[in-house]
Amino acid sequence: VRIILNPLRYVKTDILIIESTYGAIPYYFPDRRRLYKTLIRKVAYYVDAVGSVIIGARPLGTAQEIVALLSNTKRKFELYLDPRVYRFSKIHFEYDNVRAKFDRCGSFRPEKDTGVFITSIENALKLRKEGYNAIICTGLSATWNDSDSLALSSHADLNGLIDYVFRSKARRIYTVYGFKRDFALILKEMGLDAYQL
């Protein structure tokens, strides 16, 4: 269950075209509620210990989920968003029924400013290399051995994709994007009529 956006509706169909971003064996994500608790705990730890933390996420999707989550915890965090995340967040929260509060847009100096800075994955990784504390939220991290990375993604993991395929009751499945070849092979091994596009 996500804190933003309505759950996906299952559609029954004869032919299914399905994205396969994480349609491969290593991409199993922990329960979202557990990921939320872990993220809140890590953010609180860094804010208490050093005053600030950087969170890297996809600017559209996962970043708004993190903004909503950290805006609605008992613990109040100051949230600062990079300009791109800020733009997407303003639009998203104008139309979503989730309350969210973010304090500032623009430059964040981890050595001077306090709070939580939400930025792109690339920028957070760059700042991490410079020695700053950064939590990275991406499904790709399911294969990383990094305690400050969480498999929080807007995409379904392998189990979620398989679940959708079976619920659709499709006779033929076409996989696209990401691990489309791997996912089609997995589905074929399950006895399904699946092909990559």
Side-chain angles (χ1 to χ4, degrees):
V1 178
R2 293 182 67 183
I3 196 167
I4 64 169
L5 303 178
N6 293 324
L8 181 66
R9 280 193 259 151
Y10 295 97
V11 176
K12 290 192 173 135
T13 185
D14 291 331
I15 297 172
L16 174 68
I17 300 172
I18 187 167
E19 69 87 23
S20 311
T21 301
Y22 294 117
I25 295 293
Y27 294 103
Y28 299 106
F29 303 159
D31 176 75
R32 204 165 208 89
R33 288 170 297 221
R34 191 170 122 217
L35 286 171
Y36 286 163
K37 286 178 186 174
T38 302
L39 180 59
I40 293 166
R41 191 179 72 248
K42 284 180 177 293
V43 167
Y45 168 78
Y46 282 121
V47 168
D48 291 344
V50 294
S52 67
V53 67
I54 297 154
I55 300 177
R58 277 187 32 246
L60 178 61
T62 309
Q64 287 70 48
E65 187 172 5
I66 293 165
V67 169
L69 176 69
L70 296 178
S71 291
N72 291 290
T73 60
K74 289 178 186 169
R75 166 87 184 258
K76 297 300 166 205
F77 297 105
E78 287 184 85
L79 302 183
Y80 301 92
L81 313 184
D82 84 8
R84 201 160 146 226
V85 172
Y86 183 83
R87 239 182 0 264
F88 290 143
S89 297
K90 280 197 64 102
I91 294 166
H92 175 82
F93 292 114
E94 187 177 321
Y95 295 97
D96 198 340
N97 288 327
V98 176
R99 182 181 60 83
K101 181 183 182 297
F102 32 99
D103 301 288
R104 202 168 69 187
C105 166
S107 62
F108 182 82
R109 299 157 305 166
E111 68 282 353
K112 292 187 178 180
D113 294 326
T114 59
V116 182
F117 180 53
I118 302 171
T119 188
S120 68
I121 294 166
E122 298 77 20
N123 193 36
L125 287 170
K126 183 179 124 258
L127 290 166
R128 183 190 269 185
K129 282 184 183 172
E130 293 173 15
Y132 298 110
N133 298 306
I135 300 165
I136 310 300
C137 295
T138 176
L140 293 171
S141 71
T143 63
W144 302 352
N145 186 16
D146 178 7
S147 63
D148 276 340
S149 294
L150 301 172
L152 185 62
S153 173
S154 297
H155 293 277
D157 69 352
L158 180 58
N159 285 334
L161 292 171
I162 291 169
D163 180 57
Y164 194 92
V165 166
F166 278 99
R167 287 181 185 237
S168 76
K169 302 206 182 294
R171 289 183 296 104
R172 178 167 286 182
I173 302 106
Y174 293 100
T175 60
V176 295
Y177 311 125
F179 290 97
K180 62 185 180 182
R181 181 179 174 275
D182 300 64
F183 192 40
L185 289 172
I186 289 166
L187 295 174
K188 280 183 183 194
E189 288 172 5
M190 296 176 147
L192 298 171
D193 190 23
Y195 305 90
Q196 70 177 24
L197 283 181

